[in-house]
């Protein structure tokens, strides 16, 4: 489905979709960078993994984000390429450098170990949710981690939610063994992020439909398409 996604599409819609996608990736990287500054409160399991790898084996956190993303894409391609698209590769290759760039700028506030850190963490989670809503609304494809969990779900027959729980629990065990920043917010992260993401996705899908022009096939059929990929 995703391979033919832009067939017969208009240039305007193509620009809008990639614009949404790239803005989302930038927000995603910024949100993660803010969260990492207050990582003592806990991070999302995948971010904990990147931090743990960086602390133990060197290289930047963003570099590990790229390496882990590519590894997941390779695994997904081996067991089933259904959810791997150009957006999956762009996601894997861009978020890490953007994350490193914001950390390199050194303009983000350092942890104060006071209640203010919770506000910064909340801001980071909100920005990640906005970024996720933007790039998924662009309809370019699922990220490597989401694609991997969707692939696991297909191959095992588990629901997507169960596959996500199992995969992220395995990730957390690895993070714990590596001494990564696994704290209380790590276990609450998904419950906080998911509603923000869902709201933003709904808003940005509507906005993209308003900004886009119907494709020739849609104009003929009289049916608009959201183009939102599986998440």
């Amino acid at each position: 489905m995703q391979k033919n996604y832009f067939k017969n599409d208009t240039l305007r819609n193509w620009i809008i979709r990639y614009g949404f996608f790239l803005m989302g990736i930038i927000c995603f990287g910024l949100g993660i960078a803010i969260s990492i500054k207050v990582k003592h409160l806990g991070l999302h399991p995948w971010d904990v993994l990147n931090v743990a790898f960086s602390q133990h084996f060197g290289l930047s956190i963003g570099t590990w984000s790229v390496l882990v993303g590519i590894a997941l894409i390779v695994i997904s391609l081996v067991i089933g390429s259904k959810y791997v698209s150009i957006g999956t590769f762009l996601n894997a290759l861009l978020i890490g450098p953007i994350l490193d760039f914001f950390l390199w700028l050194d303009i983000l506030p350092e942890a104060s170990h006071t209640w203010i850190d919770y506000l910064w963490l909340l801001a980071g989670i909100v920005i990640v949710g906005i970024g996720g809503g933007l790039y998924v609304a662009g309809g370019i494809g699922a990220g490597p981690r989401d694609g991997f969990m969707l692939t696991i779900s297909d191959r095992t027959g588990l629901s997507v939610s169960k596959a996500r729980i199992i995969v992220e629990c395995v990730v957390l065990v690895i993070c714990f063994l590596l001494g990564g920043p696994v704290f209380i917010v790590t276990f609450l992260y998904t419950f906080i992020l998911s509603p923000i993401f869902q709201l933003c996705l709904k808003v940005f899908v509507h906005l993209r439909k308003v900004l886009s022009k119907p494709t020739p096939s849609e104009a003929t059929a009289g049916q608009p398409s959201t183009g939102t990929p599986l998440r």
Side-chain angles (χ1 to χ4, degrees):
M1 177 179 67
Q2 291 176 355
K3 291 181 179 179
N4 298 321
Y5 191 74
F6 294 106
K7 186 177 181 180
N8 299 324
D9 207 351
T10 65
L11 177 62
R12 174 191 174 93
N13 292 353
W14 188 91
I15 292 173
I16 289 172
R17 285 168 177 160
Y18 271 91
F20 271 50
F21 180 83
L22 292 175
M23 286 189 295
I25 291 295
I26 292 172
C27 288
F28 214 90
L30 174 59
I32 295 173
I34 293 173
S35 301
I36 286 174
K37 284 292 186 176
V38 290
K39 62 180 181 293
H40 63 283
L41 300 177
L43 295 169
H44 188 276
W46 290 107
D47 296 325
V48 177
L49 184 65
N50 295 330
V51 170
F53 280 155
S54 179
Q55 291 174 342
H56 276 263
F57 306 113
L59 301 179
S60 68
I61 298 171
T63 299
W64 280 110
S65 175
V66 172
L67 293 175
V68 170
I70 292 175
L72 293 176
I73 290 175
V74 171
I75 296 172
S76 296
L77 286 172
V78 170
I79 61 179
S81 60
K82 180 180 178 180
Y83 301 108
V84 177
S85 66
I86 185 173
T88 311
F89 285 96
L90 290 174
N91 183 304
L93 295 174
L94 294 179
I95 289 182
I98 291 171
L99 160 63
D100 280 345
F101 175 72
F102 281 118
L103 293 176
W104 173 79
L105 284 178
D106 201 27
I107 59 175
L108 300 176
E110 299 292 338
S112 64
H113 297 277
T114 65
W115 61 270
I116 296 176
D117 290 349
Y118 287 94
L119 295 181
W120 280 114
L121 179 60
L122 179 60
I125 294 174
V126 169
I127 294 173
V128 167
I130 292 172
L134 268 169
Y135 90 71
V136 174
I140 310 302
R145 292 154 187 83
D146 290 318
F148 174 73
M149 285 183 281
L150 287 168
T151 301
I152 293 297
S153 173
D154 281 356
R155 299 295 289 184
T156 61
L158 295 170
S159 66
V160 175
S161 60
K162 288 182 179 178
R164 179 182 294 274
I165 291 172
I166 292 172
V167 170
E168 292 189 350
C169 283
V170 172
V171 170
L172 280 178
V173 170
I174 296 173
C175 294
F176 180 78
L177 294 175
L178 290 175
V182 180
F183 299 108
I184 183 63
V185 176
T186 301
F187 301 96
L188 300 176
Y189 208 106
T190 300
F191 296 101
I192 301 172
L193 179 61
S194 292
I196 298 172
F197 163 76
Q198 292 295 338
L199 175 62
C200 292
L201 176 60
K202 181 178 180 180
V203 171
F204 290 129
V205 165
H206 176 72
L207 178 61
R208 199 207 72 202
K209 289 169 64 178
V210 170
L211 295 174
S212 300
K213 289 184 177 180
T215 63
S217 60
E218 289 172 355
T220 301
Q223 294 291 335
S225 171
T226 63
T228 305
L230 289 171
R231 177 69 174 158

